[in-house]
């Protein structure tokens, strides 16, 4: 009797860990809406707040271009999509368009905005525990991290390089 109950509980757990087609569709649509909403809201954040030297955007003493190159960021960053032009006030970061100090500073602000967007985009992953099993909820958290951390690394790598450009332009 006890063995039968154990098998029944194990099968029930296995069934709850499987994602149905409807759940998959709901999760995909939820992630799409969440990403678009956060990206849109972050385009509305004033440059005033993004200019500030917040701890989140500060270049740490251990952060160098060389550290990020060890992770190959300079090689794979071009594979990542840039949704900067998706919204009216967006900023396209794939191409450096001007050699002025103002443009470099604007680019720095936009790397801050992009990094903020991707950090915030990880947080809603805990909502997926509401309508999914715990194991699928964990998968959603892992997805959020895998989908956003590469973008965060690229923004931090670019920030160091752009900061060096800004310093050079200020000297001239």
């Amino acid at each position: 009797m006890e063995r039968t109950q154990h098998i029944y509980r194990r099968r029930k757990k296995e069934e709850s860990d499987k994602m149905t087609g409807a759940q998959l569709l709901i999760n995909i649509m939820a992630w799409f809406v969440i990403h678009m909403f956060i990206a849109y809201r972050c385009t509305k954040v004033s440059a005033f707040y993004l200019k500030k030297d917040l701890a989140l955007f500060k270049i740490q003493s251990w952060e160098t271009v060389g550290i990020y190159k060890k992770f190959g960021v300079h090689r794979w960053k071009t594979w990542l999509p840039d949704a900067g032009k998706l919204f009216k006030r967006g900023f396209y970061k794939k191409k450096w368009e001007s050699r002025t100090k103002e443009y470099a500073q604007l680019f720095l602000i936009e790397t801050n905005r992009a990094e903020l967007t991707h950090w915030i985009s990880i947080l809603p992953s805990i909502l997926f525990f509401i309508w999914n099993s715990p194991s699928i909820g964990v998968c959603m958290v892992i997805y959020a991290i895998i989908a956003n951390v590469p973008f965060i690394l690229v923004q931090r790598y670019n920030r160091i390089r752009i900061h060096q450009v800004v310093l050079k332009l200020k000297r001239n």
Side-chain angles (χ1 to χ4, degrees):
M1 182 73 172
E2 190 174 307
R3 179 168 166 71
T4 308
Q5 286 179 341
H6 176 71
I7 291 170
Y8 174 76
R9 275 189 241 128
R10 193 175 72 201
R11 281 192 183 153
K12 194 163 180 139
K13 184 182 179 332
E14 287 172 0
E15 285 173 11
S16 72
D17 289 346
K18 290 180 185 173
M19 192 181 328
T20 64
Q23 277 181 307
L24 178 65
L25 188 64
I26 289 168
N27 289 335
I28 290 170
M29 290 182 65
W31 272 121
F32 179 77
V33 169
I34 288 168
H35 286 305
M36 290 299 114
F37 177 75
I38 291 171
Y40 176 75
R41 292 301 303 159
C42 283
T43 62
K44 303 287 184 191
V45 174
S46 168
F48 173 79
Y49 298 107
L50 298 168
K51 277 186 207 172
K52 290 186 173 186
D53 203 18
L54 299 175
L56 181 66
F57 307 133
K58 213 174 227 174
I59 298 170
Q60 303 300 316
S61 60
W62 57 267
E63 286 185 291
T64 62
V65 170
I67 291 287
Y68 287 100
K69 280 189 174 181
K70 282 183 182 173
F71 290 107
V73 173
H74 63 293
R75 277 187 244 124
W76 53 258
K77 74 174 198 163
T78 56
W79 303 342
L80 299 178
D82 182 358
K85 289 282 184 182
L86 208 57
F87 301 107
K88 190 176 177 182
R89 293 177 56 188
F91 184 85
Y92 189 67
K93 294 175 284 308
K94 284 268 184 186
K95 193 174 174 186
W96 191 266
E97 294 179 0
S98 174
R99 292 177 182 239
T100 64
K101 186 176 78 180
E102 292 77 22
Y103 181 78
Q105 287 174 329
L106 178 62
F107 210 113
L108 269 178
I109 290 168
E110 294 304 323
T111 61
N112 291 349
R113 184 185 313 277
E115 185 178 346
L116 178 68
T117 301
H118 287 286
W119 278 117
I120 292 173
S121 294
I122 293 173
L123 300 177
S125 63
I126 57 171
L127 297 175
F128 287 79
F129 284 96
I130 295 171
W131 64 86
N132 288 296
S133 68
S135 61
I136 293 172
V138 169
C139 290
M140 294 296 113
V141 172
I142 292 168
Y143 159 77
I145 292 168
I146 290 172
N148 288 291
V149 167
F151 291 94
I152 293 168
L153 292 175
V154 168
Q155 300 313 315
R156 298 200 68 86
Y157 168 74
N158 284 341
R159 184 174 306 124
I160 295 167
R161 296 173 55 225
I162 296 166
H163 189 69
Q164 291 169 347
V165 169
V166 169
L167 290 177
K168 268 187 189 174
L169 289 171
K170 279 182 179 176
R171 278 187 237 135
N172 296 333

